[in-house]
Amino acid sequence: MTDLETRVVPSGSVTLRRAAPALLGYAAVRALGLLALALWSAARDKNAYTLLTARWDALWYTRVAELGYGYEVRLPNGDVHSNLAFFPLLPWLERFLHAATPLSYGDAGFVVSLLASLAAAWGIYAVADHVYGRRAGVCAVLVWAVLPVGIVQSMAYSESLFTALAAWSLYAVVTGRWVTAGALASLSGLTRPVGLAVVAAVWTAGVASLLRDGEARPAVPFARNRSTAPGPGARTPERASKATRVLGMLLAPLGAAGYVLWAGHRTGRGPLGYLDVQAGWRNGFDGGYAFARFVAAKFTSFPSALAGLGLIVGVALLLWLYVVCVRQRQPLPLLVYAGVVLALALCASSYFGSKPRLLLPAFPLLLPPALALTRLRTSRSALVVGCLAVASAVYGAWWLNGSGPP
């Protein structure tokens, strides 16, 4: 299904200069989204910056940064919302910036998200450029930027930070930098529970690489294109030693495992205590049963039936995109990562309104539409992206001033 061939990597392929068009385009889309949010919020007599930094999960992260763990809210129905549900890397960074600068915890969260979103865009570019070329890299970043819920990338949430760590970990995997991949996977596991997807990608790639050690072809970086000819200044990455690959694999799960075990100890319920914390938030993995019931309930009346139909179409589109990714023979680590993110988002019993933002890190699913854009003339692809950017900006402003991401 996936070729384990050496992809000749141009020297400096992820330099800032090479990625500059993608990053500038990304910054322009995000600036448009923030402008639309500011105008919409002003018209509704709301503060756009407050919507970005001091609502929903952003408040939980700043509380952890300021007061540490141990805070919980008991709801009338008996549910217990504990801040142990929130992984620590973002609060740690907020606390560091607050201590090192005059920024408040909320301001620090916004700065971290801003910088992390650029790092995520750069990482997405690096992966797409490595697999499909520079033009595909630029288009992949722009498609990620114009997602309907792209405004979350500018919020003091952990999605941008996680996507940055995941993208660069996957880039390290497909280019054979195993220790870097493992270290970044470990950090992603300190950011969100879905860090499991990055760990799975590193482990699957590592096992596949080790299994091929005895074959004629060396186990070297993953790539789709067998026939890329060396360009000026091109180099072939050296084969990583078995010890290096094993070390990267061992590093990958340390962050998530360490926090989950610590949280379980903190609850006094042992290794599985973190699952109890998630249960207090009504979060769990039920194979999609709760989500299916939620969708089915939409068909009890005509207006909501349209929303139910839209949800079915949306899920079908996501599954179709994943099938296309497989048919296009994306590198194995990308397929594993995207598959796990997709499964955790769709099959979790968490609040259903949060599912769109939970899918934000699944950027490999965006490579097929990015490739489709590369086949258009530059003027046409720019027009398509421009229209989508306007629609995304308007939707994000409306959404954040309404129900928004819980």
Side-chain angles (χ1 to χ4, degrees), residues 336-352:
V336 171
Y337 168 76
V340 175
V341 173
L342 187 60
L344 290 177
L346 295 182
C347 297
S349 58
S350 57
Y351 181 68
F352 306 110

Side-chain angles (χ1 to χ4, degrees), residues 41-300:
S41 300
R44 293 175 58 88
D45 198 26
K46 291 186 178 181
N47 188 308
Y49 189 69
T50 299
L51 295 177
L52 294 169
T53 62
R55 291 183 70 186
W56 303 297
D57 288 5
L59 288 176
W60 286 89
Y61 282 119
T62 56
R63 285 194 187 103
V64 173
E66 182 178 5
L67 304 173
Y69 286 103
Y71 176 81
E72 64 182 28
V73 174
R74 294 184 177 272
L75 303 183
N77 66 356
D79 289 345
V80 178
H81 288 183
S82 167
N83 65 359
L84 287 170
F86 296 87
F87 279 46
L89 186 57
L90 177 57
W92 285 348
L93 294 175
E94 291 177 345
R95 184 179 298 177
F96 171 78
L97 271 183
H98 173 73
T101 68
L103 295 174
S104 69
Y105 292 106
D107 294 340
F110 180 73
V111 170
V112 170
S113 182
L114 177 66
L115 297 177
S117 68
L118 291 171
W122 194 356
I124 292 170
Y125 168 83
V127 171
D129 178 29
H130 175 77
V131 179
Y132 294 116
R134 188 179 188 184
R135 184 176 171 87
V138 173
C139 291
V141 169
L142 293 177
V143 172
W144 190 64
V146 301
L147 289 174
V149 294
I151 190 65
V152 175
Q153 298 162 14
S154 299
M155 297 181 68
Y157 272 40
S158 60
E159 273 74 13
S160 290
L161 178 61
F162 173 79
T163 305
L165 293 168
W168 283 107
S169 179
L170 291 172
Y171 177 75
V173 169
V174 298
T175 55
R177 298 168 172 87
W178 293 95
V179 174
T180 300
L184 291 173
S186 184
L187 289 175
S188 73
L190 285 170
T191 308
R192 297 188 61 80
V194 76
L196 172 67
V198 189
V199 176
V202 173
W203 270 76
T204 304
V207 170
S209 176
L210 292 171
L211 289 176
R212 296 183 66 87
D213 268 351
E215 298 186 11
R217 293 182 296 175
V220 289
F222 293 73
R224 171 186 179 274
N225 193 339
R226 300 184 180 202
S227 57
T228 304
R235 61 181 174 84
T236 300
E238 295 181 2
R239 175 185 175 182
S241 68
K242 180 178 179 179
T244 300
R245 283 173 273 163
V246 171
L247 177 58
M249 293 171 65
L250 291 176
L251 287 173
L254 293 182
Y259 179 71
V260 168
L261 291 175
W262 177 85
H265 174 74
R266 181 71 180 261
T267 63
R269 301 186 184 100
L272 300 181
Y274 182 75
L275 297 181
D276 294 334
V277 171
Q278 287 289 355
W281 286 81
R282 298 291 179 98
N283 289 335
F285 188 88
D286 62 2
Y289 175 71
F291 186 42
R293 289 187 59 188
F294 173 77
V295 174
K298 294 291 183 182
F299 290 91
T300 56

Side-chain angles (χ1 to χ4, degrees), residues 320-335:
W320 175 76
L321 282 174
Y322 188 76
V323 171
V324 174
C325 290
V326 174
R327 289 179 176 174
Q328 290 180 345
R329 302 172 68 85
Q330 282 188 16
L332 180 61
L334 301 189
L335 293 176

